[in-house]
């Protein structure tokens, strides 16, 4: 249906373009024909005046008096035995100039119409394709979110039914409860990620304030200490001086949290993470470096896509494909960007590059933000 509609629209635009070209040709041709008609009329007037001069001695004696008002565009030159009649060159030039102006007017108007038609068609096509991408993204979002929610819910349902059985060992009950707690935590992370996606407009247009990167980074790391300890991982933070940005603390905290959780849960075993905060010519660089499995080069261009995951996580929990997408989107909302430097088997380094606040003490006068 979409292909048929696109074909019909293309045929309609093609017909309009053909009609526009034909109309331009017709009008410019009519301008040329009109100029030829005027020149022919001038030639006929010349022949008529010559005939009158030859047929009447009074007219030959004083042609300007008898013919001047009727033929103002003709000139009369007396010879020894006759009067030469000619068309005023200024009149011929005016006819040619008028024809040229008319042709140019029709040509420019036609081209302007064609440009408007092409621009309107382009806007319609882009709008149609944008709508199609929006519908596709919405369907992808619903399908991905539904799938991600169904997995832990199904697991919780199974564990709940298992706990209701009689004669279940205490060790098995404890293991099942631990798994249920993991699934609940996974559901909580999914809910937070989905809510974060729905808050895009809030992050983009909400009130902006001065954000202390050192304080916000310390709070995120402190909040994840238990999670890192449970996965035999360690997070270290290194910085010098104070660092401030202008924006909102929530998108920054979510982006950093997703990077840290991603590094921990995709490692085969405990991972060491080094977070460093530096300042370079009006920009703050927050680098999150881990010694985990790294990301293959063929996948590095897609890891920031929505719902893209290179497969189940290497650690105890799989990925939803939302974490790195949220990192990129939230940092972009703060006016920054994210870079990735990774090599398979040697870890990854994600760097959040954020513009310094005008009130940042590290900002030098010559720094270009």
């Amino acid at each position: 249906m979409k292909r048929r509609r696109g074909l019909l629209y293309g045929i309609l635009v093609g017909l309009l373009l053909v009609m526009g070209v034909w109309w331009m040709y017709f009008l410019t041709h009519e301008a040329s024909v009109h100029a030829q008609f005027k020149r022919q009329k001038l030639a006929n007037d010349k022949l008529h005046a010559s005939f009158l001069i030859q047929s009447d001695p009074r007219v030959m004696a004083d042609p300007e008096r008898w013919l001047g008002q009727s033929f103002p565009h003709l000139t009369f030159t007396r010879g020894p035995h006759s009067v030469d009649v000619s068309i005023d060159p200024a009149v011929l030039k005016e006819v040619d100039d008028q024809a040229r102006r008319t042709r140019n007017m029709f040509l420019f108007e036609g081209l302007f119409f064609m440009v408007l038609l092409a621009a309107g068609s382009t806007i319609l096509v882009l709008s149609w394709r944008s709508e199609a991408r929006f519908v596709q993204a919405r369907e992808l979002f619903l399908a991905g979110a539904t799938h991600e929610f169904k997995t832990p819910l199904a697991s919780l349902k199974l564990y709940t039914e298992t706990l209701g059985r009689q004669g279940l060992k205490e060790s098995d009950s404890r293991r099942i409860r631990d798994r249920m707690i993991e699934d609940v935590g996974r559901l909580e992370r999914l809910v937070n990620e989905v809510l974060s996606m729905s808050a895009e407009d809030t992050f983009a247009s909400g009130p902006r304030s001065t954000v202390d990167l050192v304080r916000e980074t310390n709070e995120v790391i402190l909040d994840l200490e238990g999670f890192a300890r449970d996965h035999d991982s360690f997070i270290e933070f290194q910085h010098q001086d104070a660092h401030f940005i202008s924006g909102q603390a929530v998108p920054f905290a979510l982006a950093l949290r997703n990077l840290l959780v991603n590094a921990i849960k995709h490692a085969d075993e405990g991972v060491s993470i080094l977070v460093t905060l530096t300042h370079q010519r009006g920009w703050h660089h927050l680098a999150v470096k881990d010694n985990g499995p790294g990301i293959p080069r063929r996948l590095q261009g897609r890891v920031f896509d929505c719902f893209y995951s290179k497969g189940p996580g290497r650690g105890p929990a799989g990925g939803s494909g939302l974490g790195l997408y949220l990192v990129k989107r939230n940092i972009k909302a703060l006016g920054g960007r994210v870079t990735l430097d990774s090599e398979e088997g040697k870890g990854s380094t994600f760097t959040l590059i954020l513009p310094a606040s005008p009130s940042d003490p590290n900002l030098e006068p010559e720094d270009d933000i």
Side-chain angles (χ1 to χ4, degrees):
M1 181 63 183
K2 292 181 179 179
R3 182 176 299 178
R4 183 180 302 175
R5 184 173 59 178
L7 179 61
L8 292 176
Y9 180 76
I11 294 174
L12 176 61
V13 172
L15 290 175
L16 289 175
L17 289 174
V18 171
M19 185 182 69
V21 172
W22 177 84
W23 188 245
M24 289 171 55
Y25 168 77
F26 174 77
L27 292 178
T28 53
H29 179 69
E30 283 297 306
S32 300
V33 170
H34 187 64
Q36 292 177 2
F37 170 77
K38 285 187 174 181
R39 295 177 68 93
Q40 186 62 44
K41 184 178 182 302
L42 291 174
N44 291 338
D45 289 345
K46 175 183 176 182
L47 291 176
H48 190 194
S50 298
F51 172 76
L52 293 176
I53 290 173
Q54 296 295 329
S55 62
D56 193 333
R58 293 177 302 172
V59 176
M60 180 175 289
D62 193 358
E64 289 84 358
R65 174 188 173 188
W66 294 95
L67 302 178
Q69 292 182 351
S70 300
F71 304 100
H73 44 273
L74 300 179
T75 59
F76 305 96
T77 306
R78 292 181 179 277
H81 304 288
S82 63
V83 175
D84 293 330
V85 182
S86 60
I87 303 172
D88 189 350
V91 175
L92 289 175
K93 184 176 183 302
E94 176 61 26
V95 171
D96 293 337
D97 291 344
Q98 180 63 33
R100 185 174 61 255
R101 287 194 297 267
T102 303
R103 286 195 301 269
N104 291 340
M105 180 185 69
F106 289 146
L107 180 62
F108 291 140
E109 288 180 353
L111 290 176
F112 182 70
F113 169 76
M114 302 288 284
V115 170
L116 286 181
L117 179 60
S121 301
T122 302
I123 293 174
L124 288 176
V125 170
L126 292 178
S127 300
W128 177 39
R129 298 178 73 177
S130 177
E131 179 186 3
R133 285 195 299 267
F134 171 77
V135 172
Q136 183 180 10
R138 182 183 63 184
E139 293 175 352
L140 177 63
F141 173 80
L142 292 176
T146 301
H147 173 75
E148 292 298 329
F149 278 115
K150 285 178 64 176
T151 302
L153 286 174
S155 178
L156 285 172
K157 180 180 179 181
L158 177 62
Y159 289 146
T160 302
E161 293 174 350
T162 304
L163 285 176
R165 297 177 182 176
Q166 295 182 355
L168 191 65
K169 296 181 180 180
E170 180 60 28
S171 59
D172 292 335
S173 298
R174 186 165 51 252
R175 177 177 55 82
I176 291 176
R177 285 194 294 269
D178 292 340
R179 293 288 181 84
M180 293 178 71
I181 292 175
E182 290 181 2
D183 287 337
V184 171
R186 184 178 178 185
L187 277 174
E188 182 182 10
R189 290 194 298 272
L190 285 171
V191 170
N192 290 334
E193 288 176 344
V194 172
L195 290 177
S196 177
M197 289 186 67
S198 65
E200 180 174 5
D201 293 337
T202 302
F203 292 157
S205 60
R208 305 178 73 85
S209 60
T210 300
V211 179
D212 187 343
L213 292 182
V214 175
R215 184 183 64 185
E216 296 298 332
T217 302
N218 278 321
E219 289 184 358
V220 172
I221 293 176
L222 181 63
D223 184 55
L224 290 177
E225 277 187 352
F227 177 76
R229 192 183 310 111
D230 292 341
H231 292 78
D232 299 323
S233 299
F234 176 74
I235 305 175
E236 181 183 358
F237 180 35
Q238 296 180 356
H239 67 91
Q240 294 180 352
D241 303 323
H243 300 267
F244 300 93
I245 64 171
S246 178
Q248 296 173 289
V250 175
F252 169 76
L254 286 173
L256 178 59
R257 181 184 181 89
N258 282 335
L259 284 180
L260 296 175
V261 171
N262 213 51
I264 293 172
K265 72 180 184 180
H266 284 92
D268 291 314
E269 51 189 17
V271 64
S272 296
I273 302 174
L274 175 61
V275 181
T276 57
L277 181 58
T278 58
H279 177 86
Q280 300 179 21
R281 293 191 58 81
W283 295 85
H284 295 306
H285 293 238
L286 183 72
V288 179
K289 182 178 182 180
D290 65 71
N291 61 349
I295 302 174
R297 186 173 299 275
R298 68 181 186 279
L299 302 179
Q300 293 180 15
R302 301 184 59 192
V303 293
F304 292 103
D305 294 345
C306 183
F307 285 120
Y308 176 78
S309 177
K310 60 186 176 64
R314 298 193 181 198
S320 65
L322 287 174
L324 292 179
Y325 167 77
L326 291 173
V327 170
K328 181 179 179 180
R329 198 208 64 188
N330 290 353
I331 296 304
K332 183 179 179 181
L334 294 171
R337 63 186 187 276
V338 185
T339 62
L340 168 61
D341 183 16
S342 181
E343 185 176 349
E344 192 171 10
K346 296 185 179 181
S348 304
T349 301
F350 289 88
T351 304
L352 309 181
I353 304 175
L354 296 163
S357 170
S359 59
D360 195 300
N362 294 307
L363 189 63
E364 300 293 337
E366 68 275 9
D367 283 349
D368 181 17
I369 295 183

